[in-house]
PDB file of all heavy atoms in Angstrom:
ATOM      1  N   ASN A   5      72.598  74.120  79.870  1.00  0.00           N
ATOM      2  CA  ASN A   5      71.699  74.091  80.974  1.00  0.00           C
ATOM      3  C   ASN A   5      72.391  74.197  82.334  1.00  0.00           C
ATOM      4  O   ASN A   5      71.832  73.849  83.434  1.00  0.00           O
ATOM      5  CB  ASN A   5      70.785  72.817  81.009  1.00  0.00           C
ATOM      6  CG  ASN A   5      71.706  71.551  81.136  1.00  0.00           C
ATOM      7  OD1 ASN A   5      72.919  71.618  81.087  1.00  0.00           O
ATOM      8  ND2 ASN A   5      71.043  70.446  81.252  1.00  0.00           N
ATOM      9  N   ALA A   6      73.585  74.804  82.385  1.00  0.00           N
ATOM     10  CA  ALA A   6      74.370  74.829  83.637  1.00  0.00           C
ATOM     11  C   ALA A   6      73.477  75.695  84.630  1.00  0.00           C
ATOM     12  O   ALA A   6      72.942  76.707  84.366  1.00  0.00           O
ATOM     13  CB  ALA A   6      75.693  75.493  83.447  1.00  0.00           C
ATOM     14  N   GLY A   7      73.452  75.154  85.838  1.00  0.00           N
ATOM     15  CA  GLY A   7      72.686  75.805  86.945  1.00  0.00           C
ATOM     16  C   GLY A   7      71.282  75.429  86.942  1.00  0.00           C
ATOM     17  O   GLY A   7      70.552  75.604  87.962  1.00  0.00           O
ATOM     18  N   ALA A   8      70.753  74.750  85.913  1.00  0.00           N
ATOM     19  CA  ALA A   8      69.308  74.332  85.852  1.00  0.00           C
ATOM     20  C   ALA A   8      69.137  73.200  86.803  1.00  0.00           C
ATOM     21  O   ALA A   8      67.909  72.880  87.130  1.00  0.00           O
ATOM     22  CB  ALA A   8      68.930  73.965  84.416  1.00  0.00           C
ATOM     23  N   SER A   9      70.142  72.421  87.127  1.00  0.00           N
ATOM     24  CA  SER A   9      69.930  71.263  87.986  1.00  0.00           C
ATOM     25  C   SER A   9      70.044  71.559  89.495  1.00  0.00           C
ATOM     26  O   SER A   9      70.359  70.681  90.308  1.00  0.00           O
ATOM     27  CB  SER A   9      71.096  70.221  87.620  1.00  0.00           C
ATOM     28  OG  SER A   9      72.354  70.756  87.818  1.00  0.00           O
ATOM     29  N   GLN A  10      69.854  72.807  89.892  1.00  0.00           N
ATOM     30  CA  GLN A  10      69.879  73.201  91.301  1.00  0.00           C
ATOM     31  C   GLN A  10      68.786  72.409  92.081  1.00  0.00           C
ATOM     32  O   GLN A  10      67.829  72.070  91.526  1.00  0.00           O
ATOM     33  CB  GLN A  10      69.644  74.660  91.450  1.00  0.00           C
ATOM     34  CG  GLN A  10      70.644  75.544  90.853  1.00  0.00           C
ATOM     35  CD  GLN A  10      70.210  77.031  90.991  1.00  0.00           C
ATOM     36  OE1 GLN A  10      69.017  77.372  91.123  1.00  0.00           O
ATOM     37  NE2 GLN A  10      71.126  77.960  91.018  1.00  0.00           N
ATOM     38  N   ASN A  11      69.022  72.224  93.320  1.00  0.00           N
ATOM     39  CA  ASN A  11      67.946  71.593  94.103  1.00  0.00           C
ATOM     40  C   ASN A  11      66.810  72.584  94.327  1.00  0.00           C
ATOM     41  O   ASN A  11      66.947  73.795  93.953  1.00  0.00           O
ATOM     42  CB  ASN A  11      68.525  71.089  95.436  1.00  0.00           C
ATOM     43  CG  ASN A  11      68.954  72.147  96.335  1.00  0.00           C
ATOM     44  OD1 ASN A  11      68.317  73.215  96.481  1.00  0.00           O
ATOM     45  ND2 ASN A  11      70.087  71.907  97.012  1.00  0.00           N
ATOM     46  N   ILE A  12      65.688  72.063  94.804  1.00  0.00           N
ATOM     47  CA  ILE A  12      64.482  72.853  94.937  1.00  0.00           C
ATOM     48  C   ILE A  12      64.666  74.104  95.839  1.00  0.00           C
ATOM     49  O   ILE A  12      64.191  75.208  95.526  1.00  0.00           O
ATOM     50  CB  ILE A  12      63.366  71.970  95.395  1.00  0.00           C
ATOM     51  CG1 ILE A  12      61.972  72.798  95.386  1.00  0.00           C
ATOM     52  CG2 ILE A  12      63.531  71.445  96.843  1.00  0.00           C
ATOM     53  CD1 ILE A  12      61.449  73.064  94.009  1.00  0.00           C
ATOM     54  N   LEU A  13      65.382  73.972  96.859  1.00  0.00           N
ATOM     55  CA  LEU A  13      65.623  75.139  97.810  1.00  0.00           C
ATOM     56  C   LEU A  13      66.446  76.249  97.109  1.00  0.00           C
ATOM     57  O   LEU A  13      66.220  77.397  97.204  1.00  0.00           O
ATOM     58  CB  LEU A  13      66.400  74.732  99.082  1.00  0.00           C
ATOM     59  CG  LEU A  13      65.472  73.844 100.000  1.00  0.00           C
ATOM     60  CD1 LEU A  13      66.363  73.349 101.204  1.00  0.00           C
ATOM     61  CD2 LEU A  13      64.260  74.684 100.522  1.00  0.00           C
ATOM     62  N   SER A  14      67.473  75.752  96.273  1.00  0.00           N
ATOM     63  CA  SER A  14      68.251  76.786  95.631  1.00  0.00           C
ATOM     64  C   SER A  14      67.409  77.511  94.516  1.00  0.00           C
ATOM     65  O   SER A  14      67.511  78.731  94.358  1.00  0.00           O
ATOM     66  CB  SER A  14      69.456  76.131  94.909  1.00  0.00           C
ATOM     67  OG  SER A  14      70.359  75.585  95.851  1.00  0.00           O
ATOM     68  N   ARG A  15      66.548  76.761  93.832  1.00  0.00           N
ATOM     69  CA  ARG A  15      65.677  77.429  92.883  1.00  0.00           C
ATOM     70  C   ARG A  15      64.702  78.343  93.469  1.00  0.00           C
ATOM     71  O   ARG A  15      64.472  79.418  92.986  1.00  0.00           O
ATOM     72  CB  ARG A  15      64.989  76.371  92.022  1.00  0.00           C
ATOM     73  CG  ARG A  15      65.892  75.607  91.068  1.00  0.00           C
ATOM     74  CD  ARG A  15      65.131  74.785  90.031  1.00  0.00           C
ATOM     75  NE  ARG A  15      64.135  73.919  90.621  1.00  0.00           N
ATOM     76  CZ  ARG A  15      64.271  72.672  90.747  1.00  0.00           C
ATOM     77  NH1 ARG A  15      65.450  72.060  90.382  1.00  0.00           N
ATOM     78  NH2 ARG A  15      63.335  71.883  91.205  1.00  0.00           N
ATOM     79  N   LEU A  16      64.159  77.957  94.630  1.00  0.00           N
ATOM     80  CA  LEU A  16      63.221  78.840  95.313  1.00  0.00           C
ATOM     81  C   LEU A  16      63.940  80.114  95.768  1.00  0.00           C
ATOM     82  O   LEU A  16      63.404  81.270  95.643  1.00  0.00           O
ATOM     83  CB  LEU A  16      62.573  78.150  96.567  1.00  0.00           C
ATOM     84  CG  LEU A  16      61.526  77.057  96.157  1.00  0.00           C
ATOM     85  CD1 LEU A  16      61.150  76.290  97.496  1.00  0.00           C
ATOM     86  CD2 LEU A  16      60.374  77.759  95.560  1.00  0.00           C
ATOM     87  N   ALA A  17      65.167  80.036  96.369  1.00  0.00           N
ATOM     88  CA  ALA A  17      65.829  81.184  96.902  1.00  0.00           C
ATOM     89  C   ALA A  17      66.142  82.109  95.709  1.00  0.00           C
ATOM     90  O   ALA A  17      66.089  83.310  95.802  1.00  0.00           O
ATOM     91  CB  ALA A  17      67.120  80.747  97.627  1.00  0.00           C
ATOM     92  N   THR A  18      66.658  81.516  94.640  1.00  0.00           N
ATOM     93  CA  THR A  18      67.019  82.300  93.390  1.00  0.00           C
ATOM     94  C   THR A  18      65.790  83.049  92.904  1.00  0.00           C
ATOM     95  O   THR A  18      65.822  84.269  92.574  1.00  0.00           O
ATOM     96  CB  THR A  18      67.629  81.402  92.332  1.00  0.00           C
ATOM     97  OG1 THR A  18      68.788  80.851  92.782  1.00  0.00           O
ATOM     98  CG2 THR A  18      67.898  82.273  91.080  1.00  0.00           C
ATOM     99  N   GLY A  19      64.612  82.368  92.845  1.00  0.00           N
ATOM    100  CA  GLY A  19      63.392  82.970  92.338  1.00  0.00           C
ATOM    101  C   GLY A  19      62.902  84.105  93.226  1.00  0.00           C
ATOM    102  O   GLY A  19      62.493  85.174  92.798  1.00  0.00           O
ATOM    103  N   TYR A  20      63.081  83.862  94.532  1.00  0.00           N
ATOM    104  CA  TYR A  20      62.676  84.894  95.564  1.00  0.00           C
ATOM    105  C   TYR A  20      63.566  86.148  95.390  1.00  0.00           C
ATOM    106  O   TYR A  20      62.999  87.336  95.403  1.00  0.00           O
ATOM    107  CB  TYR A  20      62.793  84.339  96.982  1.00  0.00           C
ATOM    108  CG  TYR A  20      62.402  85.334  98.044  1.00  0.00           C
ATOM    109  CD1 TYR A  20      61.022  85.721  98.148  1.00  0.00           C
ATOM    110  CD2 TYR A  20      63.356  85.773  98.932  1.00  0.00           C
ATOM    111  CE1 TYR A  20      60.669  86.630  99.161  1.00  0.00           C
ATOM    112  CE2 TYR A  20      62.934  86.686  99.969  1.00  0.00           C
ATOM    113  CZ  TYR A  20      61.578  87.090 100.032  1.00  0.00           C
ATOM    114  OH  TYR A  20      61.341  87.967 101.027  1.00  0.00           O
ATOM    115  N   ILE A  21      64.811  85.996  95.311  1.00  0.00           N
ATOM    116  CA  ILE A  21      65.772  87.145  95.097  1.00  0.00           C
ATOM    117  C   ILE A  21      65.407  87.884  93.806  1.00  0.00           C
ATOM    118  O   ILE A  21      65.380  89.119  93.804  1.00  0.00           O
ATOM    119  CB  ILE A  21      67.205  86.739  95.139  1.00  0.00           C
ATOM    120  CG1 ILE A  21      67.625  86.277  96.572  1.00  0.00           C
ATOM    121  CG2 ILE A  21      68.116  87.826  94.683  1.00  0.00           C
ATOM    122  CD1 ILE A  21      68.937  85.520  96.690  1.00  0.00           C
ATOM    123  N   ARG A  22      65.194  87.160  92.739  1.00  0.00           N
ATOM    124  CA  ARG A  22      64.791  87.816  91.509  1.00  0.00           C
ATOM    125  C   ARG A  22      63.482  88.626  91.640  1.00  0.00           C
ATOM    126  O   ARG A  22      63.337  89.662  91.010  1.00  0.00           O
ATOM    127  CB  ARG A  22      64.739  86.843  90.368  1.00  0.00           C
ATOM    128  CG  ARG A  22      66.120  86.337  89.914  1.00  0.00           C
ATOM    129  CD  ARG A  22      66.079  85.458  88.688  1.00  0.00           C
ATOM    130  NE  ARG A  22      67.309  85.144  88.280  1.00  0.00           N
ATOM    131  CZ  ARG A  22      67.772  83.912  87.874  1.00  0.00           C
ATOM    132  NH1 ARG A  22      66.938  82.949  87.826  1.00  0.00           N
ATOM    133  NH2 ARG A  22      69.003  83.744  87.559  1.00  0.00           N
ATOM    134  N   LEU A  23      62.538  87.983  92.285  1.00  0.00           N
ATOM    135  CA  LEU A  23      61.227  88.659  92.527  1.00  0.00           C
ATOM    136  C   LEU A  23      61.423  89.982  93.267  1.00  0.00           C
ATOM    137  O   LEU A  23      60.881  91.012  92.911  1.00  0.00           O
ATOM    138  CB  LEU A  23      60.323  87.756  93.301  1.00  0.00           C
ATOM    139  CG  LEU A  23      58.926  88.253  93.501  1.00  0.00           C
ATOM    140  CD1 LEU A  23      58.122  88.457  92.140  1.00  0.00           C
ATOM    141  CD2 LEU A  23      58.110  87.322  94.394  1.00  0.00           C
ATOM    142  N   LEU A  24      62.266  89.913  94.430  1.00  0.00           N
ATOM    143  CA  LEU A  24      62.472  91.135  95.129  1.00  0.00           C
ATOM    144  C   LEU A  24      63.234  92.182  94.282  1.00  0.00           C
ATOM    145  O   LEU A  24      62.884  93.362  94.350  1.00  0.00           O
ATOM    146  CB  LEU A  24      63.319  90.818  96.350  1.00  0.00           C
ATOM    147  CG  LEU A  24      62.719  90.016  97.481  1.00  0.00           C
ATOM    148  CD1 LEU A  24      63.620  89.699  98.577  1.00  0.00           C
ATOM    149  CD2 LEU A  24      61.519  90.851  98.080  1.00  0.00           C
ATOM    150  N   ALA A  25      64.143  91.736  93.461  1.00  0.00           N
ATOM    151  CA  ALA A  25      64.903  92.711  92.606  1.00  0.00           C
ATOM    152  C   ALA A  25      63.902  93.367  91.588  1.00  0.00           C
ATOM    153  O   ALA A  25      64.138  94.509  91.269  1.00  0.00           O
ATOM    154  CB  ALA A  25      66.060  91.983  91.932  1.00  0.00           C
ATOM    155  N   ARG A  26      63.043  92.603  91.041  1.00  0.00           N
ATOM    156  CA  ARG A  26      62.070  93.049  90.058  1.00  0.00           C
ATOM    157  C   ARG A  26      61.233  94.257  90.564  1.00  0.00           C
ATOM    158  O   ARG A  26      60.968  95.184  89.901  1.00  0.00           O
ATOM    159  CB  ARG A  26      61.184  91.950  89.571  1.00  0.00           C
ATOM    160  CG  ARG A  26      60.196  92.440  88.434  1.00  0.00           C
ATOM    161  CD  ARG A  26      59.382  91.267  87.901  1.00  0.00           C
ATOM    162  NE  ARG A  26      60.274  90.224  87.357  1.00  0.00           N
ATOM    163  CZ  ARG A  26      60.057  88.895  87.559  1.00  0.00           C
ATOM    164  NH1 ARG A  26      58.982  88.483  88.291  1.00  0.00           N
ATOM    165  NH2 ARG A  26      60.847  88.048  87.022  1.00  0.00           N
ATOM    166  N   TYR A  27      61.003  94.234  91.880  1.00  0.00           N
ATOM    167  CA  TYR A  27      60.171  95.255  92.517  1.00  0.00           C
ATOM    168  C   TYR A  27      60.974  96.252  93.257  1.00  0.00           C
ATOM    169  O   TYR A  27      60.467  97.032  94.099  1.00  0.00           O
ATOM    170  CB  TYR A  27      59.065  94.658  93.339  1.00  0.00           C
ATOM    171  CG  TYR A  27      58.003  93.877  92.548  1.00  0.00           C
ATOM    172  CD1 TYR A  27      58.053  92.496  92.463  1.00  0.00           C
ATOM    173  CD2 TYR A  27      57.135  94.551  91.830  1.00  0.00           C
ATOM    174  CE1 TYR A  27      57.149  91.767  91.622  1.00  0.00           C
ATOM    175  CE2 TYR A  27      56.175  93.919  90.956  1.00  0.00           C
ATOM    176  CZ  TYR A  27      56.248  92.555  90.851  1.00  0.00           C
ATOM    177  OH  TYR A  27      55.403  91.843  90.109  1.00  0.00           O
ATOM    178  N   GLY A  28      62.345  96.148  93.087  1.00  0.00           N
ATOM    179  CA  GLY A  28      63.252  97.273  93.648  1.00  0.00           C
ATOM    180  C   GLY A  28      63.395  97.027  95.175  1.00  0.00           C
ATOM    181  O   GLY A  28      63.891  97.967  95.854  1.00  0.00           O
ATOM    182  N   LYS A  29      63.035  95.865  95.769  1.00  0.00           N
ATOM    183  CA  LYS A  29      63.237  95.654  97.227  1.00  0.00           C
ATOM    184  C   LYS A  29      64.577  95.200  97.566  1.00  0.00           C
ATOM    185  O   LYS A  29      65.041  95.397  98.653  1.00  0.00           O
ATOM    186  CB  LYS A  29      62.185  94.560  97.624  1.00  0.00           C
ATOM    187  CG  LYS A  29      60.774  94.956  97.389  1.00  0.00           C
ATOM    188  CD  LYS A  29      60.362  96.135  98.157  1.00  0.00           C
ATOM    189  CE  LYS A  29      58.818  96.325  97.872  1.00  0.00           C
ATOM    190  NZ  LYS A  29      58.356  97.626  98.535  1.00  0.00           N
ATOM    191  N   GLN A  30      65.282  94.610  96.689  1.00  0.00           N
ATOM    192  CA  GLN A  30      66.650  94.066  96.900  1.00  0.00           C
ATOM    193  C   GLN A  30      67.434  93.983  95.635  1.00  0.00           C
ATOM    194  O   GLN A  30      66.851  93.573  94.585  1.00  0.00           O
ATOM    195  CB  GLN A  30      66.533  92.653  97.638  1.00  0.00           C
ATOM    196  CG  GLN A  30      67.758  92.146  98.143  1.00  0.00           C
ATOM    197  CD  GLN A  30      67.495  90.937  99.006  1.00  0.00           C
ATOM    198  OE1 GLN A  30      66.470  90.303  98.972  1.00  0.00           O
ATOM    199  NE2 GLN A  30      68.501  90.477  99.799  1.00  0.00           N
ATOM    200  N   PRO A  31      68.668  94.306  95.656  1.00  0.00           N
ATOM    201  CA  PRO A  31      69.441  94.242  94.347  1.00  0.00           C
ATOM    202  C   PRO A  31      69.619  92.791  93.932  1.00  0.00           C
ATOM    203  O   PRO A  31      69.879  91.927  94.752  1.00  0.00           O
ATOM    204  CB  PRO A  31      70.737  94.884  94.703  1.00  0.00           C
ATOM    205  CG  PRO A  31      70.907  94.861  96.132  1.00  0.00           C
ATOM    206  CD  PRO A  31      69.480  94.789  96.794  1.00  0.00           C
ATOM    207  N   ALA A  32      69.677  92.620  92.634  1.00  0.00           N
ATOM    208  CA  ALA A  32      69.871  91.308  92.072  1.00  0.00           C
ATOM    209  C   ALA A  32      71.309  90.793  92.135  1.00  0.00           C
ATOM    210  O   ALA A  32      71.635  89.675  91.983  1.00  0.00           O
ATOM    211  CB  ALA A  32      69.452  91.136  90.657  1.00  0.00           C
ATOM    212  N   GLU A  33      72.208  91.705  92.624  1.00  0.00           N
ATOM    213  CA  GLU A  33      73.636  91.368  92.764  1.00  0.00           C
ATOM    214  C   GLU A  33      73.770  90.279  93.825  1.00  0.00           C
ATOM    215  O   GLU A  33      74.850  89.682  93.907  1.00  0.00           O
ATOM    216  CB  GLU A  33      74.472  92.576  93.085  1.00  0.00           C
ATOM    217  CG  GLU A  33      74.649  93.563  91.950  1.00  0.00           C
ATOM    218  CD  GLU A  33      73.513  94.514  91.840  1.00  0.00           C
ATOM    219  OE1 GLU A  33      72.801  94.766  92.888  1.00  0.00           O
ATOM    220  OE2 GLU A  33      73.172  94.934  90.727  1.00  0.00           O
ATOM    221  N   LYS A  34      72.793  90.016  94.634  1.00  0.00           N
ATOM    222  CA  LYS A  34      72.888  89.023  95.654  1.00  0.00           C
ATOM    223  C   LYS A  34      73.067  87.600  94.997  1.00  0.00           C
ATOM    224  O   LYS A  34      73.471  86.675  95.626  1.00  0.00           O
ATOM    225  CB  LYS A  34      71.692  89.050  96.558  1.00  0.00           C
ATOM    226  CG  LYS A  34      71.606  90.230  97.343  1.00  0.00           C
ATOM    227  CD  LYS A  34      71.301  89.921  98.859  1.00  0.00           C
ATOM    228  CE  LYS A  34      71.425  91.119  99.618  1.00  0.00           C
ATOM    229  NZ  LYS A  34      71.953  90.922 100.894  1.00  0.00           N
ATOM    230  N   LEU A  35      72.623  87.530  93.707  1.00  0.00           N
ATOM    231  CA  LEU A  35      72.797  86.243  92.998  1.00  0.00           C
ATOM    232  C   LEU A  35      74.274  86.096  92.652  1.00  0.00           C
ATOM    233  O   LEU A  35      74.933  87.024  92.167  1.00  0.00           O
ATOM    234  CB  LEU A  35      71.949  86.223  91.735  1.00  0.00           C
ATOM    235  CG  LEU A  35      70.411  86.327  91.975  1.00  0.00           C
ATOM    236  CD1 LEU A  35      69.693  86.436  90.618  1.00  0.00           C
ATOM    237  CD2 LEU A  35      69.915  85.054  92.666  1.00  0.00           C
ATOM    238  N   VAL A  36      74.789  84.952  92.834  1.00  0.00           N
ATOM    239  CA  VAL A  36      76.159  84.625  92.515  1.00  0.00           C
ATOM    240  C   VAL A  36      76.304  84.455  91.019  1.00  0.00           C
ATOM    241  O   VAL A  36      75.654  83.692  90.415  1.00  0.00           O
ATOM    242  CB  VAL A  36      76.683  83.378  93.215  1.00  0.00           C
ATOM    243  CG1 VAL A  36      78.108  83.013  92.836  1.00  0.00           C
ATOM    244  CG2 VAL A  36      76.532  83.500  94.723  1.00  0.00           C
ATOM    245  N   GLN A  37      77.205  85.259  90.346  1.00  0.00           N
ATOM    246  CA  GLN A  37      77.405  85.193  89.002  1.00  0.00           C
ATOM    247  C   GLN A  37      78.475  84.197  88.688  1.00  0.00           C
ATOM    248  O   GLN A  37      79.470  84.133  89.444  1.00  0.00           O
ATOM    249  CB  GLN A  37      77.705  86.581  88.473  1.00  0.00           C
ATOM    250  CG  GLN A  37      76.580  87.593  88.609  1.00  0.00           C
ATOM    251  CD  GLN A  37      76.990  88.872  88.076  1.00  0.00           C
ATOM    252  OE1 GLN A  37      78.060  89.167  87.500  1.00  0.00           O
ATOM    253  NE2 GLN A  37      76.037  89.812  88.158  1.00  0.00           N
ATOM    254  N   MET A  38      78.349  83.541  87.539  1.00  0.00           N
ATOM    255  CA  MET A  38      79.438  82.610  87.178  1.00  0.00           C
ATOM    256  C   MET A  38      80.016  83.070  85.771  1.00  0.00           C
ATOM    257  O   MET A  38      79.303  83.471  84.941  1.00  0.00           O
ATOM    258  CB  MET A  38      78.851  81.185  86.998  1.00  0.00           C
ATOM    259  CG  MET A  38      78.370  80.574  88.300  1.00  0.00           C
ATOM    260  SD  MET A  38      79.827  80.106  89.409  1.00  0.00           S
ATOM    261  CE  MET A  38      80.436  78.674  88.543  1.00  0.00           C
ATOM    262  N   HIS A  39      81.284  83.031  85.680  1.00  0.00           N
ATOM    263  CA  HIS A  39      81.996  83.448  84.419  1.00  0.00           C
ATOM    264  C   HIS A  39      82.936  82.434  83.980  1.00  0.00           C
ATOM    265  O   HIS A  39      83.484  81.661  84.789  1.00  0.00           O
ATOM    266  CB  HIS A  39      82.719  84.843  84.658  1.00  0.00           C
ATOM    267  CG  HIS A  39      81.821  85.902  85.178  1.00  0.00           C
ATOM    268  ND1 HIS A  39      80.963  86.607  84.349  1.00  0.00           N
ATOM    269  CD2 HIS A  39      81.592  86.322  86.502  1.00  0.00           C
ATOM    270  CE1 HIS A  39      80.334  87.458  85.156  1.00  0.00           C
ATOM    271  NE2 HIS A  39      80.711  87.326  86.395  1.00  0.00           N
ATOM    272  N   THR A  40      83.260  82.333  82.708  1.00  0.00           N
ATOM    273  CA  THR A  40      84.204  81.481  82.107  1.00  0.00           C
ATOM    274  C   THR A  40      85.365  82.304  81.565  1.00  0.00           C
ATOM    275  O   THR A  40      85.204  83.398  81.227  1.00  0.00           O
ATOM    276  CB  THR A  40      83.689  80.580  81.025  1.00  0.00           C
ATOM    277  OG1 THR A  40      83.088  81.432  80.077  1.00  0.00           O
ATOM    278  CG2 THR A  40      82.489  79.705  81.662  1.00  0.00           C
ATOM    279  N   TYR A  41      86.489  81.643  81.368  1.00  0.00           N
ATOM    280  CA  TYR A  41      87.701  82.261  80.949  1.00  0.00           C
ATOM    281  C   TYR A  41      88.201  81.516  79.692  1.00  0.00           C
ATOM    282  O   TYR A  41      87.931  80.327  79.464  1.00  0.00           O
ATOM    283  CB  TYR A  41      88.800  82.287  81.966  1.00  0.00           C
ATOM    284  CG  TYR A  41      88.483  83.237  83.054  1.00  0.00           C
ATOM    285  CD1 TYR A  41      87.565  82.969  84.129  1.00  0.00           C
ATOM    286  CD2 TYR A  41      89.033  84.504  83.051  1.00  0.00           C
ATOM    287  CE1 TYR A  41      87.293  83.882  85.079  1.00  0.00           C
ATOM    288  CE2 TYR A  41      88.815  85.426  84.128  1.00  0.00           C
ATOM    289  CZ  TYR A  41      87.920  85.144  85.045  1.00  0.00           C
ATOM    290  OH  TYR A  41      87.591  86.072  86.070  1.00  0.00           O
ATOM    291  N   ASP A  42      88.921  82.211  78.954  1.00  0.00           N
ATOM    292  CA  ASP A  42      89.578  81.614  77.606  1.00  0.00           C
ATOM    293  C   ASP A  42      90.816  80.958  78.119  1.00  0.00           C
ATOM    294  O   ASP A  42      91.814  81.624  78.433  1.00  0.00           O
ATOM    295  CB  ASP A  42      89.784  82.723  76.673  1.00  0.00           C
ATOM    296  CG  ASP A  42      90.460  82.241  75.365  1.00  0.00           C
ATOM    297  OD1 ASP A  42      90.712  81.056  75.216  1.00  0.00           O
ATOM    298  OD2 ASP A  42      90.692  83.080  74.437  1.00  0.00           O
ATOM    299  N   LEU A  43      90.941  79.630  77.897  1.00  0.00           N
ATOM    300  CA  LEU A  43      92.107  78.780  78.261  1.00  0.00           C
ATOM    301  C   LEU A  43      93.324  79.270  77.477  1.00  0.00           C
ATOM    302  O   LEU A  43      94.409  79.448  78.098  1.00  0.00           O
ATOM    303  CB  LEU A  43      91.890  77.394  78.074  1.00  0.00           C
ATOM    304  CG  LEU A  43      93.116  76.398  78.401  1.00  0.00           C
ATOM    305  CD1 LEU A  43      93.535  76.574  79.850  1.00  0.00           C
ATOM    306  CD2 LEU A  43      92.727  74.966  78.080  1.00  0.00           C
ATOM    307  N   SER A  44      93.195  79.623  76.256  1.00  0.00           N
ATOM    308  CA  SER A  44      94.346  80.027  75.519  1.00  0.00           C
ATOM    309  C   SER A  44      94.933  81.385  76.007  1.00  0.00           C
ATOM    310  O   SER A  44      96.143  81.547  76.065  1.00  0.00           O
ATOM    311  CB  SER A  44      93.931  80.296  73.979  1.00  0.00           C
ATOM    312  OG  SER A  44      93.596  79.055  73.438  1.00  0.00           O
ATOM    313  N   ARG A  45      94.005  82.205  76.400  1.00  0.00           N
ATOM    314  CA  ARG A  45      94.492  83.501  76.962  1.00  0.00           C
ATOM    315  C   ARG A  45      95.166  83.340  78.298  1.00  0.00           C
ATOM    316  O   ARG A  45      96.200  84.038  78.516  1.00  0.00           O
ATOM    317  CB  ARG A  45      93.330  84.467  77.064  1.00  0.00           C
ATOM    318  CG  ARG A  45      93.638  85.895  77.461  1.00  0.00           C
ATOM    319  CD  ARG A  45      92.552  86.848  77.294  1.00  0.00           C
ATOM    320  NE  ARG A  45      92.888  88.166  77.807  1.00  0.00           N
ATOM    321  CZ  ARG A  45      92.008  89.153  77.919  1.00  0.00           C
ATOM    322  NH1 ARG A  45      90.766  88.980  77.445  1.00  0.00           N
ATOM    323  NH2 ARG A  45      92.375  90.380  78.372  1.00  0.00           N
TER     324      ARG A  45
END
């Protein structure tokens, strides 16, 4: 559930950006992506 505990303003902003991206008004790349790495590597 990482990221699910965002505060209300963060959730609203994320939802708004996704809505704009869905209708081609703004690219979804504005959302910050999170990635993990392999510790062994």
Side-chain angles (χ1 to χ4, degrees):
N5 63 348
S9 62
Q10 295 175 336
N11 66 40
I12 187 71
L13 290 176
S14 295
R15 286 195 309 260
L16 286 171
T18 299
Y20 180 67
I21 291 169
R22 285 188 176 136
L23 182 66
L24 290 174
R26 184 176 298 141
Y27 294 103
K29 304 288 184 190
Q30 191 170 13
E33 289 82 31
K34 293 227 177 217
L35 296 173
V36 176
Q37 296 180 1
M38 294 290 285
H39 304 283
T40 59
Y41 288 79
D42 177 2
L43 177 59
S44 295
R45 187 169 174 183

